[in-house]
Amino acid sequence: MKNGVYSKGKSRINDILDAAHQLLIDAGYHNFSMRKVADAAGIKLGNLQYYFPSKSLLVSAMLDKTIQVYLDTFDEIRTHGSPEEQFQNLIKHVITDLTSRETTQFFPELWSLSNHEEDITVHMDQMYAKYRSILGDIIADMNPALSPKQVEKLSLFISASVEGHTVFIGHNKPWTKEVDNIVAMATQSFTWLVEHGDIPKR
Amino acid sequence: MKNGVYSKGKSRINDILDAAHQLLIDAGYHNFSMRKVADAAGIKLGNLQYYFPSKSLLVSAMLDKTIQVYLDTFDEIRTHGSPEEQFQNLIKHVITDLTSRETTQFFPELWSLSNHEEDITVHMDQMYAKYRSILGDIIADMNPALSPKQVEKLSLFISASVEGHTVFIGHNKPWTKEVDNIVAMATQSFTWLVEHGDIPKR
Amino acid sequence: MKNGVYSKGKSRINDILDAAHQLLIDAGYHNFSMRKVADAAGIKLGNLQYYFPSKSLLVSAMLDKTIQVYLDTFDEIRTHGSPEEQFQNLIKHVITDLTSRETTQFFPELWSLSNHEEDITVHMDQMYAKYRSILGDIIADMNPALSPKQVEKLSLFISASVEGHTVFIGHNKPWTKEVDNIVAMATQSFTWLVEHGDIPKR
Amino acid sequence: MKNGVYSKGKSRINDILDAAHQLLIDAGYHNFSMRKVADAAGIKLGNLQYYFPSKSLLVSAMLDKTIQVYLDTFDEIRTHGSPEEQFQNLIKHVITDLTSRETTQFFPELWSLSNHEEDITVHMDQMYAKYRSILGDIIADMNPALSPKQVEKLSLFISASVEGHTVFIGHNKPWTKEVDNIVAMATQSFTWLVEHGDIPKR
DNA sequence: AATGAATGAGCGTTCATTCAT
DNA sequence: TATGAATGAACGCTCATTCAT
């Protein structure tokens, strides 16, 4: 796999990764082919394979880049407001983002892929671990009485629950207009759980 | 597509649908082909195409059958115990089922497919509508003060939240051992939300 | 791999194997492709792969068929004349055959291939074992005083020596016109070795 | 093709030719590519093509170099011992060398290639002509009564016979352990042929 | 002297589909 | 009902070669 030492190569790699990302979203992994990526990027198949000698290298690089965007926004959230506000902002942000066309299409592909391709699972797990880690920090701030184990469990439960809405209130899904109501219910029930719930200890 | 009026044809169709279901689970849709289904069903490709002239017809029929199995179990839940018990049983049942290999593999495929294939969306939506309908009946029994709209919103929020755990505590997933804790937290927070939450009215 | 149950399929398989054999001889293995075989057989690539799902299956089947032709002629030799005459006939036959275009081109491909493809080695070894077995029977008849071990060594030495001439007196090779002289020298020296040589015992 | 007038270029060319030689032996000609040679030589494809603008130029140069190594050793043999000893040494040397991995792999590739590529035939024929020339000198010394024509025929017969053993007693071949016995039988029968055989005169 | 970038052809293979038997 | 036969398109990938840097 090429680094893209010249500026020409560097921008090519970017073009390719963008085209690949878009194709995955538009057509799904079962319609994702090297030829179609090359076409979308406006280059010849041979040239695509010059930069990414195998399909799995391309997919890996594309996921890396895509996932990084999600990770970057998480860090942002922690910089403003009280723990409760951070908590609400995070939930609101994730649920809102989930209604964007990109996210709605991207994550189900990721979940499906991770069931059948080992190294994609790794990428996905890393992302969610980071997500839970930040969510855990906020939760610990909200309720200092919780043990690390309990924080971990809460992070898992809350983050997983939120992800589930992708398929229902995502872009072009039947319940898109309920986003605000979902945010309201999520905020309430998860805040209550963090502050007054009886969280398993082990 | 043949109806299978003779008994041999009927059992053939069943064999085919079972093989197709299993293949989807084992290999994912992007490895799902007519040839492999024929092999798995122990018949020749030509014969498979006699029963299902096109791939999409086969996929539709397979989803119909698979989804029906899930629907059948929902009805069961309503027959025993108080509303609160039914609620807890439903949550427990769905979360537990979600850790079976079949469910863990099947649903992400369904979600991904529904993003790119129109008629699969229809099947999926029907199933979830039925699921929410039953869940709504239980919720209405639990808190008669809720309006139909509020019940609908709660059903959506709770069912969607539960689905999200597939990718995290499903079969062979990193958090499988947390199932019981997830059930505990889900039961608590969602029961609280139904009974004491401030549910949006419109 | 198909059996060719209908006569249509049977003759197709024959056409394919003939085309493959001819292509190997004409172009060598490094120019031997499924597409070229299909073209030579007058069918489409997809149809060729229907009969031979993989290249290695095709190559195996082709070698089987080709080698069988050589084996069949060996058996013939044993049916006429005294042991000495059989011996001379075998040597003369093999050396003469070796100047045919087919044999001249075919065997070097086989030798090269057997250095790099495991299962081709198996085919080749079987053929030569049969060849040596028949040659050994003749040698044992010529000189009953030889032990089985000695017969084995003589068969190996003589058969291997004869094969070596392929590259020098074969079709279109620089020394083709020396065939008769080579036969004369081979017959003499190998007959002497069998009858008066001091053959290693172990 | 560059001459390599500077010392760096010369060693580069040598490195390339060595890598190419090794690759041919390891993988066979049908797995021999410019990319793999470049990799093996530790340079980039573009640089390899600077030195050898086409694949056939590289192959030619590699064969030239490899063959020269074989030629050099032949000259050595003539410097020690009586004609009979020289004869025995040459046979022993060639048969023994033939069991080295390099020779076992290299020659069948050469024979196969020479059937399909004109200019490779030229290289090969030159080498064998030199081989026969030296062998002929020894034979003439052993039996001065032989005419030049007879010497030529004997050289051809003996050298070709010896080559044939490559495929049977070569490296990793089924009869490797018989080398000494083969040497013994070859020495006997060919010495007898030279000294007492009835060699064709034309 | 060396690497980067790009192309076009060809490879073995899988596939959905059609049609004859 | 069931299998056999055939097609054409697409796939991931390797390759020799050309040209710019």
Side-chain angles (χ1 to χ4, degrees), chain B residues 34-95:
Chain B
M34 294 294 275
R35 274 165 170 78
K36 284 177 183 163
V37 171
D39 278 359
I43 60 176
K44 300 294 177 183
L45 176 61
N47 198 14
L48 172 59
Q49 313 241 55
Y50 168 76
Y51 288 103
F52 298 96
S54 83
K55 187 180 180 179
S56 80
L57 283 173
L58 169 60
V59 170
S60 271
M62 176 201 60
L63 292 185
D64 265 347
K65 200 194 167 198
T66 302
I67 283 175
Q68 192 55 47
V69 174
Y70 286 97
L71 291 179
D72 290 345
T73 58
F74 292 147
D75 287 323
E76 260 262 344
I77 303 274
R78 285 239 70 189
T79 56
H80 306 298
S82 68
E84 280 77 11
E85 284 167 341
Q86 289 176 25
F87 185 73
Q88 292 172 17
N89 285 340
L90 181 55
I91 288 181
K92 180 167 192 164
H93 170 265
V94 173
I95 294 185

Side-chain angles (χ1 to χ4, degrees), chain B residues 89-104:
Chain B
N89 285 340
L90 181 55
I91 288 181
K92 180 167 192 164
H93 170 265
V94 173
I95 294 185
T96 305
D97 172 80
L98 175 161
T99 66
S100 73
R101 184 164 171 277
E102 289 215 349
T103 299
T104 301

